[in-house]
Structure formats: C-alpha cells, structure tokens
Amino acid sequence: MSDTEAPKIEFPCENYPIKVLGRGGDNFQSLVIEVVQQHAPDLDVSTVTVQDSKKGTFQSVRFSITATGEAQLSALHKALMDTGRVTMVM
C-alpha cells in the first residue's frame, strides 16, 4: 500500500463551500451570516441557502467564501461553534 497525502488547498481559494448545521429558529440564518461576515466580508448573501430538517428542528445554512488561509477557516469555525447554536461545520 502506498501512503497518499490528502490534497492541499491552495489559498486564496475562491468559492470554498461551507455548510453550517444547527438548531433552527427565527434568527439562525442571520446569526450565521453575521459571524461569517466578520471573517469573510466578501460573503455574497444572495447565494446563501437554507434548508430545514424534516421535522424543522434543525437547519443547514450553505454558502461559499473566498478562503484566505487556514487561520481564517479555524477562526470562523471557532466563532460559529462559540455561538452555542451551531452543532457542526462542514
């Protein structure tokens, strides 16, 4: 067996897709957008999509950003998780 290395992301990376999952509610989408804009001010909010779970308990918010580096992505992940409403960031 050969050890293959995972592909590296070259930064800046345009159209870097992110999906945020969390408990839905009146302001979940706006909360996510607010946090994302602090780390990726170029977010085009017109491209943000939201999908409710079958029972409506959870929501997924999908968007793409221009990722500038690992530090930006780590800080964004931490800020989203620190809201207490986000359960997963992919």
Side-chain angles (χ1 to χ4, degrees):
M1 268 188 202
S2 65
D3 290 324
T4 56
E5 196 171 308
K8 298 284 183 185
I9 298 171
E10 291 186 29
F11 297 105
C13 179
E14 291 184 21
N15 299 316
Y16 185 86
I18 298 177
K19 180 178 180 180
V20 179
L21 301 171
R23 292 213 170 260
D26 295 337
N27 65 346
F28 184 68
Q29 177 183 356
S30 59
L31 172 70
V32 170
I33 289 172
E34 181 181 322
V35 171
V36 171
Q37 286 179 322
Q38 293 172 7
H39 298 274
D42 65 327
L43 173 68
D44 181 358
V45 294
S46 69
T47 63
V48 175
T49 61
V50 179
Q51 184 173 358
D52 293 330
S53 65
K54 274 186 181 178
K55 295 181 181 179
T57 306
F58 294 93
Q59 283 184 329
S60 68
V61 180
R62 295 175 188 225
F63 53 90
S64 294
I65 63 169
T66 298
T68 59
E70 291 181 30
Q72 176 205 31
L73 295 175
S74 293
L76 175 57
H77 181 271
K78 181 177 180 346
L80 287 166
M81 296 304 291
D82 285 350
T83 65
R85 303 245 342 249
V86 173
T87 55
M88 189 180 307
V89 180
M90 299 185 276

